[in-house]
Structure formats: structure tokens, C-alpha cells
Amino acid sequence: MIAVLNGANLNMLGKRDPAQYGSLTLSELESRIYAWAGELSMTARCFQTNHEGALIDHIHEASGWATGMIVNPGAWTHYSYAIRDALEIVAAPVVEVHLSDIATREEWRRHSVIRDVVDHAIAGEGPDGYRLALEWLRGALAHV
Ligand code: DQA
């Protein structure tokens, strides 16, 4: 079971700047993730929160059942050492996903404080980034 965790403001997809984030809503994105997981013979469970502590609690809880994690922490990516430390505890492979290409946006978005504790990172592929993350995890899990 893959835990797919979306953080702050990702519930506003569809209303946020479509040039950066596209026009899919979060529930449409989650439906795609469930469909992609099915096509790849995987299972996924999606979670979104705007509360940093709730994301930390969920990472702790999911580390007990998830065989892999996909995480898009939103803006917490750039400054939350607490989320970084929670992800560091996770033994399963973790993929960091961003819809937009954070490397080519504002200076403050270019640094990810979680990058050194994740196993793979995908940015700038829009919703397909989550499919690429599932595919990457499927490959990684085939080797364990
Ligand atoms: C984001 C990029 C972050 O900089 C931003 O704060 C988000 C979304 C992305 O998916 O592109 O909320 O993580």
C-alpha cells in the first residue's frame, strides 16, 4: 500500500494558479492516482492536510503500514525541518513530487529541506509526476 501525502494548499488545486498547477482538482488528481495504481497492480491511500502537525502524525502512522510513500508537502518543502525529520524515520522508499518545476521558480522555492531524506524526486511533470512516482516505487519495490 502506497501512502500519497499532499500538504498545505493542495486542496485548492483547480483554484490555484493553473499556469503552475494545472486545472485538476485534488479529488480529480486522487482519482487518477487510484486509477494509475490499479493499472500498475498497486494500491494507494491518499491524504491531504493543511496542518503541519497532522502531516507529521500521518507520516508516523503511515510508516507502520506503507510499503512506499509519495509526498508533496507544498510550501513546507522549503522550510519544515519537522516534516524532514518525520520523513527521515520512514524505512520505506519515499518519492518527493511537485506539480511545478520548483527549480525554475522563485529563489525560495528552489531549495527542498526534505531532498536529503527522500529516495527520488520528481518536479515539473504536473499530475503525471504522481504516476511517475508510482512507477518508480514499483521498480524500487521489485528489488527488495
Ligand atoms: C508545490 C510547489 C511548492 O513550492 C508550493 O508551495 C506548493 C506546491 C508543487 O506541487 O509544485 O504548494 O509543492
Side-chain angles (χ1 to χ4, degrees):
M1 175 77 74
I2 307 299
V4 182
L5 312 179
N6 283 306
N9 294 305
L10 288 159
N11 60 313
M12 298 305 280
L13 289 178
K15 295 197 176 81
R16 295 180 77 180
D17 181 2
Q20 293 297 347
Y21 304 115
S23 53
L24 279 193
T25 65
L26 179 65
S27 67
E28 288 165 345
L29 173 63
E30 290 181 344
S31 297
R32 285 199 189 184
I33 291 167
Y34 290 127
W36 287 326
E39 285 165 25
L40 295 165
S41 304
M42 301 168 86
T43 52
R45 197 185 290 173
C46 296
F47 175 80
Q48 188 275 333
T49 182
N50 293 320
H51 303 276
E52 186 178 8
L55 185 60
I56 292 166
D57 285 344
H58 199 80
I59 292 167
H60 294 168
E61 197 245 311
S63 68
W65 51 262
T67 51
M69 270 187 208
I70 297 172
V71 59
N72 180 351
W76 291 320
T77 305
H78 313 297
Y79 66 89
S80 175
Y81 297 113
I83 288 170
R84 181 218 170 273
D85 284 353
L87 290 169
E88 191 178 23
I89 302 164
V90 178
V94 180
V95 183
E96 173 183 355
V97 170
H98 300 285
L99 293 157
S100 65
D101 185 6
I102 56 173
T104 59
R105 297 185 62 195
E106 302 94 316
E107 188 69 39
W108 61 270
R109 286 187 210 273
R110 295 184 191 169
H111 183 62
S112 163
V113 300
I114 71 168
R115 190 64 50 90
D116 69 318
V117 295
V118 301
D119 298 281
H120 189 60
I122 296 166
E125 302 287 346
D128 286 349
Y130 291 82
R131 184 188 169 100
L132 295 169
L134 287 167
E135 288 173 356
W136 189 89
L137 284 170
R138 192 177 62 155
L141 295 169
H143 296 291
V144 289

